[in-house]
Amino acid sequence: VSRFTGCDLIPGFAQDLVRLHENVLFVIVGTGPYLEPMIAEVRKRSLGEYFHFAGSVRHEDVPGYLKLAKIGVSFLPNRRDAVLGVFPMKIPEYMAMGCVPVVNALGENRWIVEDSVTGLCDLPENLPKRTADLLREAGTLARMSKEARRSAQKRFDWQYQAENIESRWLKGAGLA
């Protein structure tokens, strides 16, 4: 749980989402300097019943958590210094497990997630309603899950990354 995960944005998103769709549980896996402030914000917003903080888990146990999830929320912070050059690996990991990513449309998120095909990639203010709608539409969720997994298998191997990372980084930095 670091500044690169946008974890400070998740409690606000959660508050807006549970107003629209109460049957959710946010499972936060990991530790770090931003965990305690996140927990405090969850408590301040009275969202404790919608969160489970798993803490540190062994790397080999992470797929088990992802298998249980329907969606994976990942926000990049809205700061250039935090977004420039950051590739959020957890998004392709979500996708590879068939977990539909819900991300804000910043940095590499716009390249990783094809909106309404492999997940939701939009402005933060639009994501709670779109996520609630997605969770109610089992067919759409299943289709996106399948497409997310297919995309991850095709696009996120070492050869593909080696061929494309420099051009994506330069484009994201506004240098290409």
Side-chain angles (χ1 to χ4, degrees):
V1 182
S2 75
R3 71 184 179 106
F4 299 111
T5 64
C7 61
D8 55 325
L9 303 173
I10 291 176
F13 168 78
Q15 188 169 38
D16 292 341
L17 178 60
V18 300
R19 287 182 186 136
L20 301 167
H21 189 86
E22 290 185 358
N23 189 20
V24 295
L25 178 65
F26 289 83
V27 178
I28 308 299
V29 176
T31 61
Y34 289 81
L35 180 62
E36 287 304 320
M38 183 182 193
I39 292 170
E41 187 63 24
V42 165
R43 287 185 184 136
K44 178 178 150 188
R45 294 173 183 256
S46 301
L47 295 169
E49 68 185 286
Y50 301 104
F51 278 81
H52 171 72
F53 293 93
S56 182
V57 300
R58 297 177 319 161
H59 182 71
E60 56 269 18
D61 293 337
V62 172
Y65 283 92
L66 294 178
K67 268 200 234 180
L68 297 173
K70 293 179 181 177
I71 66 169
V73 178
S74 180
F75 294 146
L76 288 173
N78 193 11
R79 295 189 331 269
R80 184 172 171 80
D81 68 315
V83 175
L84 186 62
V86 172
F87 186 90
M89 268 314 293
K90 70 177 152 184
I91 299 171
E93 290 172 351
Y94 292 163
M95 294 167 69
M97 294 299 295
C99 184
V100 177
V102 173
V103 301
N104 56 349
L106 289 174
E108 291 290 319
N109 287 356
R110 294 173 298 189
W111 177 81
I112 299 170
V113 178
E114 186 177 353
D115 186 45
S116 299
V117 177
T118 61
L120 300 179
C121 181
D122 203 343
L123 299 172
E125 59 267 23
N126 297 335
L127 286 171
K129 179 174 182 342
R130 291 189 66 203
T131 302
D133 292 344
L134 179 63
L135 290 170
R136 284 190 284 270
E137 298 170 7
T140 302
L141 187 64
R143 178 185 52 76
M144 280 189 189
S145 172
K146 184 184 252 182
E147 287 300 319
R149 187 176 175 98
R150 185 177 303 145
S151 177
Q153 291 171 339
K154 177 183 172 192
R155 296 169 60 213
F156 299 108
D157 67 12
W158 288 110
Q159 184 62 39
Y160 186 89
Q161 292 303 316
E163 293 169 359
N164 292 284
I165 197 163
E166 181 182 15
S167 65
R168 284 195 333 273
W169 189 89
L170 290 171
K171 183 177 178 184
L175 301 173

